[in-house]
Every structure is written in structure tokens, then in C-alpha cells.
């Protein structure tokens, strides 16, 4: 099972606790987060699923949902 977590900071000294932002039944790693045409996307490595899956944030950046394969 794959899990992507995130932490955040405002001052580079105090960091939040890790929270799970994406969970799948297959391996996930190396999330590439980028902006394209005023939208934010994440493209993690999903080799075990033999596909490329694109995700968009659905609640700020704290929850991501599948957008396109």
C-alpha cells in the first residue's frame, strides 16, 4: 500500500506532524508537485500500477484525489 505524507512550516524551525494526504493500494513514491495553468497537480511514481496517475488537491493541499490516468 502506498502513502504520501506531508509536513509544513512557516519559519523553517517548527514543523507540523506528518499527515497522510494520499493513500492507494499500490506503491507511491517521489511525488512531483507542480503548477500548470493556475492548477496544482501531483504526479507520484506509481510503477507497481503500470500507469501514470495525476492527482489534484481537493482540500487545500491536505487531501488529494485522482484526476486523470
Amino acid at each position: 500500500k502506498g502513502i504520501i505524507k506531508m509536513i509544513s512550516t512557516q519559519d523553517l524551525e517548527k514543523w507540523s506532524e506528518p499527515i497522510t494526504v494520499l493513500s492507494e493500494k499500490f506503491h507511491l513514491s517521489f511525488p512531483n508537485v507542480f503548477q500548470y495553468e493556475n492548477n496544482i497537480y501531483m504526479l507520484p511514481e506509481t510503477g507497481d500500477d503500470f500507469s501514470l496517475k495525476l492527482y489534484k488537491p481537493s482540500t487545500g493541499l491536505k487531501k488529494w484525489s485522482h484526476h486523470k490516468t
Side-chain angles (χ1 to χ4, degrees), residues 5-33:
K5 294 189 175 201
M6 109 174 182
I7 59 174
S8 62
T9 184
Q10 292 185 5
D11 59 11
L12 297 177
E13 292 181 15
K14 298 176 197 128
W15 294 84
S16 68
E17 290 295 316
I19 60 168
T20 300
V21 297
L22 179 61
S23 180
E24 293 283 10
K25 294 181 180 181
F26 46 84
H27 172 79
L28 296 170
S29 63
F30 304 106
N32 180 14
V33 179

Side-chain angles (χ1 to χ4, degrees), residues 2 4 8 11 19 21 35 46 49-51 61 65:
I4 302 284
S8 62
D11 59 11
I19 60 168
V21 297
Q35 184 173 346
T46 57
D49 190 54
F50 301 103
S51 67
L61 297 175
S65 58

